[in-house]
Amino acid sequence: MPENRPRIIRSVRLPQPVEDRITASFDAPPVPTSPLSTDEVFRLAEETKAEGLLVTHHAAIRGADVERIPKSVRIVATVSVGLDHLDVKAILDRGIAVTNTPDVLTDCNADLAMMLIIAASRRVKAYTEIIRNGWGHTLAMDELLGVRVSGKTLGIIGMGRIGQAVAKRAKGFDMKVLYHNRRRLDPLDEHGATWFGNLSDMLPQCQILTLHLPGNPESDSIINAKTLSLLPKGAVFVNAARGILVDEDALLDALNSGHLFGAGLDVCRNEPDPAPRLLAEPNVFMTPHVGSATIETRTAMGMLALDNVVAEVAGKPLLTPVKA
């Protein structure tokens, strides 16, 4: 067996093509049967003198965890775009590289956001429950009506790669697109959308609002009772970004009062155990944090993480380095 096989620990089972590559080209413990905790990842890394850690949010490395990273580790390669589970600056300060997997999951996350928009607007949760219960009666002309998506005004908070991809898709539905960022994008990246530097000015115009920004202390509860009250009555809300962005009590109050028509959520605050009120709410359509969950995208994410480990061990430039 070649001596230059990179030694890695992966915190979760990866798609089969990625696992096949690990078997062929890396030294690693057996495939985890369930996601490993941070402690388990560190223990295995210490035992095997691992050079690379492939992690997701299941194995967060924050605060005091950083000092416990085994000395053999040269790179933390997160199989995600989001970095809220890593204390990036502290890891870099230890001389350990950090990489993520941008770009390869943009399209699938944008596709899922559009699915949530349509599902929440067209009452897919209610329709699915009717069919599962056997249907049994013809619906009246005014029964279980949804709202039309085509032609609506869509507001996007966070016009990064995924936000831009959503804007492009929204054009196919003849939607008017608005967006809020701290800074305006180059017009070529706006895809015809209109920039609002002030969120409060944009929200009253948004018949549908979707979130595509990182979760951090600054953005914690950016969606709250005040911001929700600025949306027009009957608006649809979508979050395919991070659960921390939303005050869930305020969201449920807005739904129960009828101020919001519906919500589509791929994330929540207490994953993987959503608040019972969220699950019970008839106008909330939820998916289990699966924005990147396609064969093509998850495979590409795993391969990119491995490519970064190979580059680091070989002393070559990283493909997708994360800076402090």
Side-chain angles (χ1 to χ4, degrees):
M1 183 177 295
E3 295 181 359
N4 61 346
R5 290 163 59 97
R7 300 183 300 276
I8 64 169
I9 303 297
R10 59 201 180 290
S11 65
V12 294
R13 184 178 67 249
L14 297 165
Q16 195 57 51
V18 184
E19 290 293 345
D20 290 344
R21 181 181 174 190
I22 291 173
T23 299
S25 304
F26 294 80
D27 285 340
V31 179
T33 56
S34 60
L36 302 180
S37 68
T38 304
D39 287 342
E40 290 169 323
V41 168
F42 287 172
R43 177 181 60 79
L44 288 171
E46 190 73 56
E47 292 175 356
T48 62
K49 306 301 180 187
E51 299 160 294
L53 304 182
L54 270 66
V55 301
T56 65
H57 65 280
H58 301 100
I61 304 176
R62 293 188 294 247
D65 295 330
V66 176
E67 290 304 315
R68 299 193 299 115
I69 300 174
K71 294 180 180 179
S72 61
V73 174
R74 298 173 53 177
I75 179 172
V76 174
T78 183
V79 191
S80 67
V81 171
L83 299 163
D84 44 308
H85 56 295
L86 301 178
D87 190 336
V88 172
K89 184 178 184 304
I91 296 171
L92 293 174
D93 285 347
R94 274 204 55 187
I96 299 170
V98 178
T99 61
N100 64 346
T101 58
D103 297 321
V104 294
L105 50 67
T106 296
D107 284 333
C108 282
N109 272 272
D111 290 348
L112 185 96
M114 292 305 300
M115 183 190 83
L116 293 173
I117 289 170
I118 295 169
S121 299
R122 294 301 305 271
R123 305 190 67 167
V124 167
K125 179 179 181 179
Y127 298 161
T128 302
E129 289 178 350
I130 286 173
I131 293 299
R132 286 178 176 169
N133 291 329
W135 197 350
H137 71 283
T138 300
L139 297 178
M141 288 291 290
D142 62 349
E143 189 175 357
L144 288 177
L145 301 184
V147 295
R148 185 172 62 186
V149 172
S150 299
K152 290 293 192 292
T153 297
L154 173 70
I156 299 173
I157 303 180
M159 193 73 155
R161 296 178 181 89
I162 297 172
Q164 291 173 42
V166 171
K168 290 169 63 178
R169 285 156 174 75
K171 287 300 180 181
F173 288 84
D174 295 321
M175 300 175 85
K176 178 181 179 181
V177 181
L178 318 175
Y179 76 95
H180 168 69
N181 263 358
R182 290 181 179 177
R183 297 179 181 84
R184 182 176 180 179
L185 299 177
D186 184 289
L188 292 176
D189 296 325
E190 289 183 318
H191 305 288
T194 301
W195 174 65
F196 283 78
N198 189 318
L199 179 59
S200 297
D201 291 339
M202 183 183 81
L203 291 176
Q205 304 181 49
C206 300
Q207 295 168 298
I208 302 172
L209 180 69
T210 182
L211 307 185
H212 300 287
L213 67 162
N216 53 47
E218 292 182 4
S219 59
D220 190 342
S221 298
I222 189 173
I223 300 302
N224 50 50
K226 180 180 179 180
T227 49
L228 287 169
S229 71
L230 294 175
L231 291 170
K233 182 176 174 58
V236 171
F237 171 73
V238 165
N239 183 13
R242 287 292 185 267
I244 193 176
L245 302 173
V246 179
D247 178 336
E248 292 178 351
D249 289 332
L251 174 62
L252 286 164
D253 288 345
L255 287 163
N256 292 332
S257 71
H259 183 68
L260 290 183
F261 178 82
L265 309 175
D266 186 46
V267 292
C268 63
R269 281 189 172 266
N270 191 36
E271 297 180 14
D273 299 300
R277 286 181 64 200
L278 273 181
L279 297 176
E281 175 57 48
N283 292 331
V284 171
F285 177 86
M286 290 191 71
T287 51
H289 202 154
V290 289
S292 64
T294 64
I295 296 168
E296 298 88 346
T297 292
R298 290 281 174 87
T299 298
M301 291 168 69
M303 293 298 191
L304 179 53
L306 291 178
D307 289 341
N308 277 306
V309 172
V310 170
E312 174 63 27
V313 172
K316 296 179 179 179
L318 298 171
L319 283 78
T320 52
V322 175
K323 305 297 184 182

